[in-house]
Amino acid sequence: MTVIHGGNREKIAALIQRPATSLLDFSANINPLGVPQALKATLSAALTELSDYPNPEYPRLKSAIAKHHQVAATDIVVGNGAVQLIFDAALALHVQTAMVLAPCFGEYERALKKAGTQVTHFSLTRDDDFQLTGAQLIQALKDQPQVKLVCLGNPNNPTGTMLNDADLDQLVSYCRQQKIWVILDEAFMDLSLSPNEGWLPKLSPSDPVIVVRSLTKFFAIPGLRLGYAVTKNSALQQKMRDQSEPWSVNTVAARFGERAFEDRTYIQATQDWLQTEQPWLGKQLQEITFLHVFPSVTNYYLVYSSVPHLREKLWQVGILIRDCRDYVGLDAGYYRMAVKSHEANQELVQQLRVLE
Ligand SMILES: Cc1ncc(COP(=O)(O)O)c(C=O)c1O
């Protein structure tokens, strides 16, 4: 299975023969506030340490994450982006059959297949706005008792939908009873309209759950890469330790992560931007006659366009959006658009209006 990610400005720039820097990229869901200014000194100071190996235990990084989420440092594994933790968790758990949503982030299936796991899909439907309920997923698990792992994005990519707390409680308690592992990918939790601690405060040693988080989207560092996973399940902690490679977080990323959560000004500014721009862009997109916009709680929208080849048409005006036809469960016509700065969002809306 090939997953064609968004955010590849360099490739599209070469294809359409425009400088990469002139393109407005709505195909990757990255905080438009950019790398926090206050952390740039931390980044450059870390360069002086490049001739030493990082401490493979990452005590300072884990302690910063532990303090931020009020969990124990021993419950944390750090990695080179959330995606590494997803691959490591799939390998560590190494079950025969797993279930993912369709559509969902394509790397879940790649990670599971690499671990030798068979993947079954639970289809979300357009009629339900791609919204999932805990009861539906539990029924699917009952129908397929061979499934021993569920890998779930909350919020889900590319739909921007989220399971409500009560449904997630119900799902995890079913999985606990039935000994089904859960990889809960909360990479977009802090970029949701009601950012909260997600499942982290509810983790317990009897939980079969590992929560995956990312700093790359919120702190706009996809080129630096930093993610972490948290579980209180001691068997799973041991499996993750056995699985993990040493030094998977580079020194610059580690030093960044040690300080990032202290930047309250940036965190507040991000939440302020999202609370204003996310609904603004959603409303504007809904007014475009050829688009159907699906409800989203996070910093991107899944849309369906009745104008064909929308991605290529927007390339002509220097705008990149994510074509979603490579997601299992979606086909031609579905696109994902990130919420960006107000100026960029205005430009997107204006260019879409031209196509009406
Ligand atoms: C749902 C989801 N989880 C995880 C990731 C990967 O995050 P990272 O860049 O931290 O590896 C992505 C990247 O697009 C994603 O969409």
Side-chain angles (χ1 to χ4, degrees), residues 81-83 86 105 108 157 185 187-188 214 216-217 225-226:
V83 94
I86 294 164
F105 182 46
Y108 304 154
N157 174 6
D185 177 7
F188 286 100
S214 167
T216 64
K217 288 129 202 336
R225 319 217 30 72
L226 185 57

Side-chain angles (χ1 to χ4, degrees), residues 164-175:
N164 69 39
D165 287 354
D167 281 22
L168 194 54
D169 282 350
Q170 220 187 342
L171 176 69
V172 171
S173 104
Y174 179 80
C175 289

